[in-house]
Amino acid sequence: MQYAGIAWTADGYEVEIVDDTGERAQAPTRWGAERVTELTDWLERTGRESGEPLAVVVESTNGLVDGLFTAAGLDVHRADPWVLPERPDFGSVPARSLADRARRGLAGLSPLTAEGGGQTGRDDDYHDGIRRSADAEAELTRAGRCFRHGPRDRREIALTFDDGPDPAHTREVLDLLARYGVHATFFCVGLHVNALPDEVRRIVDAGHSLGNHTWSHPFLPDLTARQFRLQIDRTADAFDRAVGTVPTVFRPPYGCRTPEMLSELLAGGPALALWDVDSWDWARPGPEKITRTVLDHVLPGSMILMHDGGGDRRQSVLALPAVLEGLLEQDYRFVSADTLASRAATH
């Protein structure tokens, strides 16, 4: 069997593949974040040509590749902090460490699924973080800096897309939004903003809004306060370099909250933008199911969660025309997440 460790860096990904003896099965490779589709194809081909099973291992602070990997049929596992050496403040443990940890005991790692996403098997930690964050979240809400939706007395909604920009799917989403004359907000990850600044400029030039979605889409309970702050600040810097502005709204990956994270937001920074309508497009249930989920749950003031990056988003693109037509038929006006935030703060 072979084991591929995938580490994230400020620029993209590093990959090391070892065999059962710990010897390198391939020379180490580096991939820019804009080449993640190529990386997926390369891993699939490498496993097929080797004639041996290939286990792909990411760590819990890398939530950007598992969707593409699982969609391609790769065997993907997550290594959590307690089975790894200490991480740097920015970046993951080395790819070799991930590959070696898998070789020493793959059964001790969490297999990832399309349905569970990057947090597969961590539901207890997820809900515990939200429970412990209740007081801090309430304080942010009172300050007008945390919201799930806008006022229910206006037929306004915010359509949002997470995990981009993606070199293929984001353009398809933008074309559809232009066709229907609809405004949206794109919660982008820093790795992709840094690698694809032209795509970010394309979003802004088309009249849409931006939100901060961390650098590497980590499972936030596994970050220290400093690591979380670096994820936010470096992503803001990438936006500033790309378009000369910094988003005023932030969405945590998976909707995770921890007291440590919220204390950083209480000290100043973007408003916390959650959602009240999850399309479940990230689980790839089919375009019809995605459409029906949105249209069955939308209300005045809703914040709708969809995705344009971080995985195979063909179903999201296929569902979007029916989603837009259904919402327009109900006379909803599309506004930015920033606008909903300001409405919620003053309502």
Side-chain angles (χ1 to χ4, degrees):
M1 188 164 187
Q2 295 185 352
Y3 309 87
I6 315 293
W8 69 270
T9 70
D11 302 311
Y13 304 99
E14 296 178 351
V15 182
E16 287 235 22
I17 302 179
V18 301
D19 61 21
D20 280 320
T21 69
E23 293 296 318
R24 280 177 173 162
Q26 298 277 341
T29 58
R30 296 177 62 91
W31 304 77
E34 75 282 359
R35 298 179 61 206
V36 68
T37 300
E38 294 176 58
L39 169 58
T40 305
D41 292 341
W42 180 79
L43 288 168
E44 191 277 330
R45 186 172 64 253
T46 297
R48 185 178 66 251
E49 293 177 351
S50 73
E52 299 183 57
L54 177 68
V56 179
V57 187
V58 299
E59 66 157 58
S60 64
T61 62
N62 179 2
L64 292 175
V65 294
D66 59 272
L68 275 171
F69 290 173
T70 55
L74 292 169
D75 181 24
V76 187
H77 297 254
R78 187 194 63 240
D80 294 309
W82 51 87
V83 301
L84 293 172
E86 185 176 357
R87 283 194 318 273
D89 282 338
F90 195 73
S92 67
V93 301
R96 180 60 185 249
S97 296
L98 291 165
D100 282 340
R101 179 61 187 81
R103 180 180 62 84
R104 293 195 306 270
L106 192 63
L109 308 183
S110 297
L112 300 186
T113 66
E115 295 76 19
Q119 69 176 52
T120 302
R122 298 291 301 275
D123 286 350
D124 288 347
D125 293 331
Y126 173 86
H127 291 295
D128 179 64
I130 291 176
R131 283 193 297 270
R132 293 188 297 110
S133 300
D135 290 345
E137 186 174 330
E139 185 175 350
L140 272 173
T141 301
R142 287 193 296 270
R145 295 182 51 230
C146 175
F147 65 105
R148 291 176 175 78
H149 57 79
R152 298 301 194 188
D153 58 356
R154 295 172 178 260
R155 294 196 71 78
E156 294 179 338
I157 56 175
L159 179 62
T160 69
F161 295 90
D162 283 12
D163 299 352
D166 178 274
H169 299 312
T170 301
R171 294 190 185 192
E172 294 172 323
V173 167
L174 289 173
D175 288 346
L176 288 168
L177 295 175
R179 182 190 305 173
Y180 289 92
V182 166
H183 182 98
T185 302
F186 290 79
F187 285 88
C188 302
V189 289
L191 255 175
H192 294 172
V193 175
N194 186 58
L196 297 162
D198 288 346
E199 300 304 321
V200 183
R201 287 189 281 271
R202 189 184 300 272
I203 292 170
V204 172
D205 290 346
H208 303 292
S209 303
L210 298 171
N212 189 319
H213 198 40
T214 70
W215 188 271
S216 67
H217 205 279
F219 187 60
L220 293 180
D222 292 347
L223 298 187
T224 66
R226 172 172 170 75
Q227 289 167 345
F228 170 70
R229 176 52 64 182
L230 285 171
Q231 289 263 341
I232 299 301
D233 290 348
R234 294 210 181 182
T235 301
D237 291 343
F239 276 117
D240 194 27
R241 290 192 301 271
V243 294
T245 188
V246 174
T248 60
V249 287
F250 161 70
R251 174 169 288 162
Y254 316 109
C256 281
R257 280 95 77 199
T258 68
E260 296 78 14
M261 178 197 96
L262 296 186
S263 68
E264 290 292 314
L265 294 179
L266 283 166
L272 182 64
L274 301 171
W275 61 85
D276 66 325
V277 178
D278 184 349
S279 69
W280 280 75
D281 62 339
W282 49 271
R284 305 194 307 275
E288 296 81 9
K289 178 66 172 177
I290 293 168
T291 300
R292 184 47 48 200
T293 298
V294 173
L295 298 182
D296 283 351
H297 293 88
V298 68
L299 294 169
S302 280
M303 179 90 73
I304 301 168
L305 170 65
M306 296 189 71
H307 293 80
D308 65 318
D312 180 353
R313 302 308 179 204
R314 285 175 291 182
Q315 290 187 10
S316 304
V317 173
L318 289 172
L320 189 54
V323 168
L324 296 176
E325 290 169 9
L327 294 171
L328 289 168
E329 286 172 1
Q330 296 181 54
D331 294 324
Y332 282 114
R333 298 184 300 276
F334 292 80
V335 301
S336 68
D338 310 67
T339 299
L340 275 195
S342 64
R343 300 267 201 263
T346 58
H347 194 262

